[in-house]
Amino acid sequence: MAGNVAASERTWLPLFGSWIIVLVSTLGALFIGEVMGQTPCDLCWHQRVFMFPLTIVLGIATLRSDGGAWLYALPVAAIGWLIAGFHNLLYFGVVPTDIKPCGQGASCSGEDMTLFGTLPIPLLSLAAFTLVIALLLVVRRRTMQ
């Protein structure tokens, strides 16, 4: 019993941190889409498909101090990271292709789709998934001890 309490204390903070990241990302995406009226491109939609459920999953895991959450949250975050990574490769022109990362709706490459006029939204998504994966790996390491 004492081992479970100690493990839950060691995993709560990284779980909470990962939940805050996905919550802010989700609210930001909803603000951009619903308040600013910017329609996300296909790749942005796919990233949302993997970000939005993490808000609920990691929120419940944090409330329960569930150190095993990394088992089911990490694959979701990793798939979102892969999509965000591909989106950034297209955005920055690393992958030359005829596919436009923002072929439908508002363009993620436009001036209005940056934070403070310099930080592209696809890069923010990649950063969010990267931080969540890092925190979930901390949870994994702390539960395996």
Side-chain angles (χ1 to χ4, degrees):
M1 180 72 134
N4 284 344
V5 172
S8 68
E9 288 175 3
R10 289 191 315 261
T11 59
W12 185 85
L13 190 58
L15 282 172
F16 180 70
S18 62
W19 175 69
I20 290 296
I21 292 166
V22 297
L23 179 64
V24 168
S25 298
T26 298
L27 293 175
L30 290 173
F31 179 81
I32 290 168
E34 301 302 320
V35 176
M36 293 176 60
Q38 305 262 349
T39 304
C41 70
D42 286 339
L43 289 174
C44 290
W45 272 116
H46 286 89
Q47 291 168 65
R48 287 177 177 202
V49 165
F50 292 95
M51 183 67 74
F52 288 8
L54 285 173
T55 306
I56 296 167
V57 169
L58 291 173
I60 293 169
T62 301
L63 285 174
R64 299 186 71 222
S65 295
D66 182 6
W70 70 270
L71 284 168
Y72 42 88
L74 188 59
V76 176
I79 294 169
W81 184 89
L82 289 171
I83 296 167
F86 179 68
H87 194 175
N88 277 278
L89 291 174
L90 288 171
Y91 178 83
F92 289 108
V94 176
V95 175
T97 181
D98 291 336
I99 299 172
K100 302 218 185 277
C102 303
Q104 294 180 359
S107 173
C108 291
S109 59
E111 269 296 309
D112 56 341
M113 294 307 283
T114 58
L115 185 63
F116 307 121
T118 57
L119 196 56
I121 290 174
L123 191 58
L124 292 173
S125 176
L126 182 64
F129 279 118
T130 301
L131 289 171
V132 168
I133 288 169
L135 288 169
L136 290 173
L137 290 174
V138 169
V139 171
R140 178 187 179 272
R141 184 175 46 111
R142 290 182 180 181
T143 57
M144 300 301 236
Q145 292 178 353

